[in-house]
């Protein structure tokens, strides 16, 4: 049996009296790709914000490799091995492609600000390490982010390559668990196919465990070992893509009608 890397146990949170996540139980096994689906407002991004410490749950637990993450600050959770991308791209647009990825390494360096300002030996070692890791992570993406692109500002990249750069930066934190929030959003069919293949490579070659939020059902079908459907913060279905996509409550949540009335 696979060992759960991530477990959400009875997770719940409310904002201003509105129940956003309610009694959520989820597990993601080592080297598994699990997709979270659901209509807008289902609570998917809130789940990511809870896992990464942006929000604190009102009840329940979030366990990574046997240790609770509840109450930890986001930067501490990052060092524990969780990295994420965002639905809306968050890059340092005026920094170079390589500098964007290097920035993610500084959560794992021990140099101080003064050492960096004075370029003392430990700071120089950290800089060399960050540079080497950035080049390694960017190489994973092939010619899309290689060569002359390293020194280009991030704003000069195409939208699809900005998405790749954000994923590259996430991998530079050396995570065990990758949280990808709508990685195919805004892409054309060719780009969507490429990002689907990339997610598969991240699991097989990068050896990452992946929890992904995605609205494009072609992507979900192509990448997922399991699919979990949420509606108003409640898990309404879990299983293979085929099981979840045809589930009556999932059809009702997306279409607003009973599954029986659609046949």
């Amino acid at each position: 049996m696979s060992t759960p890397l991530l477990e959400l146990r009875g997770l719940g949170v409310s904002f201003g009296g509105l129940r956003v996540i309610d009694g959520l139980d989820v597990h993601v096994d080592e080297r598994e790709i699990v997709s979270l689906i659901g209509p807008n407002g289902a609570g998917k991004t809130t789940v990511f914000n809870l896992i990464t410490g942006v929000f604190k749950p009102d009840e329940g637990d979030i366990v990574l490799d046997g240790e609770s993450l509840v109450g930890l600050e986001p930067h501490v959770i990052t060092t524990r091995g969780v990295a994420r991308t965002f639905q809306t791209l968050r890059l340092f647009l005026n920094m170079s492609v390589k500098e964007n990825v290097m920035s993610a390494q500084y959560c794992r360096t021990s140099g101080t600000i003064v050492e960096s300002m004075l370029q003392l030996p430990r700071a120089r070692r950290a800089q060399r390490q960050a540079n080497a890791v950035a080049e390694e992570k960017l190489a994973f993406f092939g010619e899309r982010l290689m060569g002359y692109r390293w020194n280009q500002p991030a704003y000069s990249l195409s939208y699809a390559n900005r998405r790749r750069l954000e994923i590259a930066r996430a991998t530079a934190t050396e995570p065990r668990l990758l949280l990808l929030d709508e990685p195919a959003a805004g892409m054309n069919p060719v780009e969507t196919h490429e990002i689907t293949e990339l997610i598969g490579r991240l699991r097989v070659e990068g050896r990452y465990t992946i929890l992904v939020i995605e609205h494009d059902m072609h992507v979900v079908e192509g990448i997922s070992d399991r699919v979990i459907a949420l509606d108003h913060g409640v898990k309404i279905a879990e299983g293979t893509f085929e099981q979840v996509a045809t589930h009556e409550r999932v059809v009702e949540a997306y279409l607003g009608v009973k599954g029986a009335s659609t046949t």
Side-chain angles (χ1 to χ4, degrees):
M1 294 180 63
S2 299
T3 302
L5 177 62
L6 175 72
E7 294 179 90
L8 310 184
R9 303 171 179 171
L11 207 60
V13 68
S14 301
F15 300 122
L18 177 65
R19 193 68 168 170
V20 180
I21 300 295
D22 190 9
L24 183 62
D25 292 314
V26 168
H27 74 276
V28 183
D29 295 338
E30 288 269 12
R31 306 286 161 71
E32 189 178 28
I33 300 178
V34 176
S35 292
L36 280 180
I37 68 169
N40 290 332
K44 303 182 297 297
T45 297
T46 300
V47 171
F48 275 22
N49 286 334
L50 288 166
I51 295 170
T52 55
V54 176
F55 300 149
K56 310 299 181 188
D58 296 327
E59 64 262 349
D61 203 0
I62 303 166
V63 178
L64 181 74
D65 200 18
E67 296 187 1
S68 177
L69 300 180
V70 173
L72 301 181
E73 293 299 320
H75 70 278
V76 176
I77 293 173
T78 299
T79 63
R80 293 286 180 92
V82 180
R84 72 175 293 183
T85 64
F86 295 85
Q87 183 177 352
T88 303
L89 282 167
R90 300 186 184 181
L91 295 172
F92 302 113
L93 293 177
N94 290 315
M95 290 169 56
S96 73
V97 167
K98 186 190 287 189
E99 287 170 342
N100 264 272
V101 181
M102 289 175 66
S103 68
Q105 264 287 295
Y106 294 119
C107 69
R108 296 192 176 276
T109 59
S110 56
T112 66
I113 294 176
V114 173
E115 287 174 321
S116 296
M117 291 174 61
L118 298 177
Q119 283 294 287
L120 298 180
R122 186 162 64 165
R124 293 199 301 272
R125 285 195 299 272
Q127 186 80 2
R128 289 194 297 270
Q129 176 187 344
N131 186 76
V133 170
E135 292 183 1
E136 175 193 342
K137 301 305 181 184
L138 288 167
F140 184 87
F141 295 81
E143 63 183 13
R144 298 289 190 177
L145 295 178
M146 284 291 287
Y148 70 93
R149 295 189 191 276
W150 285 355
N151 296 318
Q152 286 185 321
Y155 69 73
S156 69
L157 296 178
S158 68
Y159 176 80
N161 282 339
R162 291 185 190 186
R163 284 280 179 192
R164 292 182 178 93
L165 177 58
E166 190 176 38
I167 296 172
R169 186 178 63 185
T171 64
T173 66
E174 307 292 359
R176 297 182 62 191
L177 175 67
L178 268 178
L179 308 179
L180 305 179
D181 195 344
E182 296 194 34
M187 293 189 179
N188 63 40
V190 172
E191 293 167 340
T192 298
H193 177 72
E194 290 176 348
I195 205 72
T196 302
E197 290 185 334
L198 173 63
I199 293 171
R201 287 183 56 227
L202 285 167
R203 187 255 295 273
V204 174
E205 299 174 31
R207 304 174 70 82
Y208 298 109
T209 300
I210 301 172
L211 181 61
V212 58
I213 295 170
E214 188 51 67
H215 283 293
D216 190 316
M217 290 299 107
H218 293 295
V219 177
V220 174
E221 183 178 16
I223 65 173
S224 305
D225 297 309
R226 281 188 298 119
V227 179
I228 296 169
L230 301 183
D231 188 33
H232 294 96
V234 176
K235 181 168 66 175
I236 58 173
E238 179 176 359
T240 65
F241 174 81
E242 291 77 12
Q243 290 170 335
V244 172
T246 57
H247 194 284
E248 181 178 351
R249 292 187 66 185
V250 176
V251 173
E252 182 180 355
Y254 273 99
L255 301 181
V257 293
K258 292 289 185 182
S261 68
T262 65
T263 59

